[in-house]
Amino acid sequence: MSRLEVAVVVSLRGSGRYVTGEELGRICGATPGEVRAVVRDLVKRGYTIDEVPGEGFRLKETSPTLDGADIRARLSTTILGSEIFAFGRVGSTNDVATALARGGAPDGSLVIAEEQTKGRGRLGRRWHSPPSAGLWFSLILKPDLSPEASTTLSLAAALGIATALDEAYGIPARIKWPNDVLVHGRKICGILTEAEFLGRALNFVVVGIGINVLGGEADFPSEIRDIATSIRMEAGDGMTRSDVLVAVMEAIEREYVRLGKRGFSELKGDLLGKSSLVGEMVRVHTGGGLIEGMAVDIDDRGALILRHDDGSLERILAGDVVGVG
Ligand code: BTN
């Protein structure tokens, strides 16, 4: 999403009324023609924007039950949620967050949507993000960390989420390196971390998080029905998405602060304790092909350590675990 697109959506959202192309242009620093072209693109991407001749444009939201002000009031965090951008429907919260981060949104900003029309997962996969079923959000992080930090940030977020699910709902969540959270082998949460660099330095990281909260088995598309689960399926009714968001944000912040102050090695013991892979024979797809071995450790930079039959160790910095056991 371009900066102008984000500005148009944020302005329309904030006003809640019809806004003329001229007024939008003034607010967003664009010509009325540019505004009209942006609105056309946004409609193609799934935003519902009404136009009334003479009155202008109005954004129609899809049941925005997650309210930014309410979330802010309930959060006791100091970094995460420093700014909250809550949307009805977007393409991908990661794209909106990237545009906002480029525009100067601060460390900890939260971008959340009821629904994503182009939610994406790792390795170009689609992330099913229907309205009101889950939490689809992205955190903008601008940490003082090395360029390789995106793996450790993903793992820190996964640790926070797994801990929150366990402590708040008694769900025995496990972390599947590098960035899935599973319950009894089924995926409850996926994380897509995208980093942007300035030269060789890390400029910002967007940690995109999808948590299945309220959906039942029948709500998942058939291709993932056997491998996905939700908080409601594991812990029963009674929680709202805002409850889950608050619990998860607070737990992620604890790990984010710990990571920044003490380094990744401080998180390692807890991560290994919740790992679904360590101690298992695994097959990992990497850029260099399929690698098999026993997962024995996660090193200080977040890499997975495999032990081969001959006792040799191999370090895997990025990959997709395709088989366990
Ligand atoms: C994966 O399991 O492959 C990662 C899934 C990440 C999904 C989240 S939902 C919020 C954010 N926006 C996206 O488009 N993707 C992430």
Side-chain angles (χ1 to χ4, degrees):
M1 219 176 177
S2 72
R3 209 176 290 177
L4 182 55
E5 284 170 328
V6 172
V8 168
V9 172
V10 170
S11 311
L12 284 173
R13 245 205 123 227
S15 80
R17 59 178 174 87
Y18 284 93
V19 187
T20 63
E22 286 74 20
E23 197 180 340
L24 269 177
R26 264 197 309 280
I27 300 169
C28 304
T31 64
E34 286 167 336
V35 167
R36 180 165 291 280
V38 160
V39 167
R40 240 189 341 257
D41 283 350
L42 289 169
V43 169
K44 271 192 216 143
R45 292 218 225 146
Y47 287 86
T48 310
I49 300 175
D50 286 343
E51 181 179 2
V52 171
E55 288 193 50
F57 305 102
R58 192 183 62 160
L59 180 65
K60 265 175 90 178
E61 296 281 19
T62 54
S63 56
T65 50
L66 282 169
D67 172 57
D70 172 58
I71 298 166
R72 181 63 267 171
R74 296 183 54 193
L75 277 174
S76 63
T77 50
T78 54
I79 307 169
L80 300 192
S82 53
E83 292 269 356
I84 298 179
F85 302 90
F87 295 92
R89 183 189 293 145
V90 301
S92 157
T93 55
N94 267 31
D95 293 340
V96 177
T98 299
L100 287 166
R102 285 183 189 145
D107 185 28
S109 298
L110 165 70
V111 179
I112 187 157
E114 292 294 328
E115 177 186 3
Q116 298 184 116
T117 52
K118 294 216 164 66
R120 54 174 200 277
R122 295 177 64 233
L123 309 168
R125 295 180 189 127
R126 193 170 85 89
W127 181 263
H128 180 61
S129 327
S132 310
L135 288 167
W136 327 126
F137 65 101
S138 302
L139 295 167
I140 297 170
L141 302 181
K142 298 188 165 176
D144 189 15
L145 292 171
S146 65
E148 312 82 45
S150 35
T151 310
T152 52
L153 282 171
S154 282
L155 287 167
L159 177 59
I161 293 162
T163 306
L165 295 187
D166 191 1
E167 287 177 354
Y169 304 108
I171 295 175
R174 315 291 290 171
I175 297 160
K176 180 178 166 218
W177 180 94
N179 40 16
D180 288 344
V181 181
L182 310 180
V183 184
H184 305 305
R186 287 172 173 238
K187 186 151 158 174
I188 202 163
C189 162
I191 302 176
L192 174 68
T193 299
E194 297 175 318
E196 190 161 291
F197 292 86
L198 265 184
R200 297 180 65 194
L202 196 60
N203 187 17
F204 61 82
V205 176
V206 169
V207 180
I209 298 173
I211 306 179
N212 302 320
V213 181
L214 298 176
E217 200 160 306
D219 298 318
F220 291 113
S222 54
E223 66 274 16
I224 58 166
R225 201 163 288 156
D226 293 341
I227 52 170
T229 189
S230 70
I231 297 185
R232 187 160 72 83
M233 285 164 68
E234 298 299 328
D237 292 323
M239 79 286 296
T240 66
R241 287 179 305 145
S242 321
D243 298 338
V244 177
L245 180 64
V246 168
V248 157
M249 291 271 286
E250 290 179 350
I252 297 176
E253 175 158 303
R254 279 195 291 278
E255 302 309 336
Y256 184 47
V257 169
R258 199 149 70 116
L259 179 67
K261 280 198 179 143
R262 302 193 194 286
F264 183 69
S265 56
E266 186 74 17
L267 279 56
K268 247 183 68 172
D270 292 339
L271 259 176
L272 293 174
K274 287 192 181 294
S275 169
S276 70
L277 300 183
V278 170
E280 301 283 345
M281 288 299 295
V282 299
R283 289 186 297 286
V284 190
H285 263 307
T286 67
L290 191 66
I291 299 175
E292 287 191 47
M294 163 89 71
V296 290
D297 200 3
I298 292 172
D299 78 4
D300 282 352
R301 288 161 74 193
L304 183 69
I305 307 296
L306 291 192
R307 189 172 59 223
H308 296 294
D309 288 347
D310 63 3
S312 63
L313 297 179
E314 181 157 5
R315 185 171 178 271
I316 302 178
L317 201 50
D320 194 36
V321 177
V322 288
V324 181

